Amino acid sequence: MVEYNQEKLRKWAEQHEMPTPTDARFIGTSFDGEVKAVVVYCGFFGKSCMIHVSGDGSHWATKDFLKTVFELPFKRWELKVIIGTVAGSNKKALKLDRHLGFREVAVIPDAHNDGDLVILEMRPADCRFLGD
């Protein structure tokens, strides 16, 4: 079930050490009332925003949820690009991001606590979750 309760999702994100700046907007997925994943959109600037994702377990990334995750910034908010940042050492997150359609645009050496910082972008034309 898609979850929109901003207070509930902010608390979950904070417990999972996700960014929760004042401009953050949240979407999540829950099963039996328990939040399983949260997406944080923040750093809105012109036609772009940052995106951060965290999930418990492996079954939260359903096609319906991912469709909603990408329709919000691209269709509802009419953004042109969403930007993700990932530690270069986080191979699991990088694999997921690339599978979702994100494209690596830069690597900043030593910019993350765990080493390099990988900057990724997604544009509507690259998003396979957007319907016509």
Side-chain angles (χ1 to χ4, degrees):
M1 180 173 132
V2 177
E3 180 76 53
Y4 294 99
N5 181 315
Q6 298 298 287
E7 183 178 330
K8 181 179 182 178
L9 296 173
R10 179 182 290 277
K11 286 180 183 177
W12 192 94
E14 289 170 347
Q15 291 171 350
H16 288 78
E17 300 179 4
M18 296 177 74
T20 58
T22 56
D23 74 338
R25 300 176 192 173
F26 305 89
I27 186 173
T29 186
S30 61
F31 298 98
D32 297 325
E34 185 179 340
V35 175
K36 293 295 182 181
V38 169
V39 174
V40 179
Y41 307 96
C42 61
F44 291 86
F45 185 79
K47 290 291 185 174
S48 68
C49 77
M50 301 286 295
I51 187 170
H52 305 278
V53 179
S54 183
D56 287 340
S58 60
H59 301 291
W60 60 266
T62 65
K63 286 183 182 181
D64 285 342
F65 180 61
L66 292 172
K67 182 178 179 182
T68 303
V69 164
F70 294 110
E71 282 182 345
L72 278 172
F74 291 134
K75 289 190 172 184
R76 183 182 236 182
W77 303 331
E78 299 179 346
L79 300 180
K80 301 295 182 195
V81 62
I82 51 178
I83 302 161
T85 58
V86 180
S89 61
N90 191 341
K91 302 301 182 198
K92 186 175 178 180
L94 287 169
K95 181 179 178 179
L96 172 63
D97 289 341
R98 290 179 179 122
H99 176 73
L100 293 174
F102 282 87
R103 184 175 64 85
E104 184 178 307
V105 293
V107 176
I108 305 172
D110 305 317
H112 193 280
N113 288 340
D114 295 327
D116 298 344
L117 180 68
V118 179
I119 312 296
L120 305 132
E121 72 168 8
M122 184 185 289
R123 295 177 180 272
D126 302 321
C127 186
R128 61 189 173 99
F129 298 97
L130 296 179
D132 292 327

